[in-house]
Amino acid sequence: MVRLCVVGMGHVGVVTASCFAGLGYSVTGVDKDHDKLMLLSQGKPPFFEPGLSELLRGGIDKDLLFFTEDFDEAIKASEVIFICVGTPSLEDGSVDLTQVEEVARGIAANLNDYKLIVGKSTVPVGTAKKIKQTIKLINGDNCPDFDVSSNPEFLKEGSAVNDFLFPDRVVLGVDSKRAEIILKDLYRDFDCPVLTTDIATSEIIKYASNAFLAMKISYINLVADMCDKVGANVHHVADGMGYDRRINREFLSAGAGYGGSCFPKDVKAFTSLAADLGINVSLLREVDRINEKRICLIVKRLEDTLWVCKDKKISVLGMAFKCNTDDVRESPALKLISKLADKGCQICCYDPKAMSNVRAQLNGLYELISFAESPYEAARGADALVFMTDWPEFGKLDFLKIKELMRSPIIVDGRGMLHAHDLEETGFLYQGLGLGGRLSCQ
Ligand code: UDX
């Protein structure tokens, strides 16, 4: 059976390595981070992802999954190499490909036999070509046979294992029959459409998909603003739209906007790519602008009720960029905290899974910040409670107890996840986004 290597043990890399091991392949995961590799070797994922630790332990126990810092050996011993390293944003929105380039050079130096190099990291169009060019340049006339292909991931954090094993589609961007055969064989047991394209098309599919989903979110947030003006309910509007199969209800949840390591970065990168190609990017720019404005709207809701925010204790429930993850990268909650700190608020934050990442990000950054161990501790003495992540357990809180603990019973529901009517009956002043501009939902 073909031996696989996955370079880069971030979210995508660990899920890819563990899932392929779960499918029976022998997989080596490579990274430079010694501590991370130690954790992985003990079967402990370095981040929270449902179902991942079971797969990881299963792969290790069956001697199918290995982790190493020895990049050279791992490359030499593998036939298919997945590149899953980070591709962060640069100041101008374009993509920093330093890590991808470094991996390409490393592979070039260890090309002892045929290798298929597969790009999984989200990269600008033309990256596969650059990898190929670099490897050829380094190896000169004696370059062994190799292929470069693109196989974008569509993994959502919180359901990444399920998304890997049961995808809506698999996209294979190839420019050789050999690469196509190997990749199709790897995915032969998947019960979904497998789309084979040229490499540029595959690279575009990833960006176009993420930018489209981000556009859906910004679109419904624009509709939410409209609902506020005319007294309509955006969640019902989304339901009404979503029954149309051409639209569908997914990614039409209005609220605090999108965050995470993908959408904000990918929208900016796609915009930068389009601009470089001389294409009018106003549509994509608007997606980003609407998203940025969501946080100001939440601050405005607080000011509408509290009047002056300075010195008030505002507790933020939910710090992860969405539920079922401990990831706080580009989290709307972090952006809100920064704005509240500028206004001189006392901030207290709580998240069921992300507190160690929150502490790592925020400790020492702001003077007036505290970290709670429970939602009730966060509520104690608070002037307002803002819900920023749609954790299901927040819906089951004892709101009567919360109200008794708070200084003033104000709730801002940044995710449209709570029952406004019930909360009002309990005596809260409830505020949502896109619920008719009234302070409370009717
Ligand atoms: C995304 C893509 O969905 C995935 O296919 C890709 O490979 C990686 O990027 P992820 O970043 O894990 O996945 O999260 P996703 O579930 O897409 O949510 C992104 C953000 O949008 C979150 O902050 C979420 O809260 C927000 N969101 C999502 C909304 O605000 N409204 C919605 O209706 C859906």
Side-chain angles (χ1 to χ4, degrees), residues 153-157 206 210 213 217 251-253 257-259 262-263 321-322 415:
E153 53 79 20
F154 301 99
L155 310 177
K156 297 185 293 296
E157 286 186 28
K206 175 63 201 270
N210 273 3
L213 291 171
I217 298 168
F251 286 74
L252 283 182
S253 296
Y258 60 79
C262 291
F263 283 0
F321 80 95
K322 63 173 191 179
R415 292 289 174 189

Side-chain angles (χ1 to χ4, degrees), residues 154-160 163 168-169 206 208-224 234-235 237-239 241-264 266-267 287 290-291 294 321-323 390 415:
F154 301 99
L155 310 177
K156 297 185 293 296
E157 286 186 28
S159 61
D163 290 346
D168 289 341
R169 80 306 210 179
K206 175 63 201 270
S209 302
N210 273 3
F212 185 83
L213 291 171
M215 185 175 75
K216 253 186 122 173
I217 298 168
S218 280
Y219 182 81
I220 200 66
N221 282 332
L222 177 147
V223 174
V234 71
H235 306 304
V237 173
D239 291 342
M241 290 168 65
Y243 284 120
D244 186 328
R245 273 173 294 169
R246 293 169 302 174
I247 299 174
N248 95 52
R249 180 64 171 82
E250 285 187 56
F251 286 74
L252 283 182
S253 296
Y258 60 79
S261 65
C262 291
F263 283 0
D266 290 355
V267 169
V287 171
I290 291 172
N291 198 54
R294 302 313 288 167
F321 80 95
K322 63 173 191 179
C323 70
D390 52 346
R415 292 289 174 189

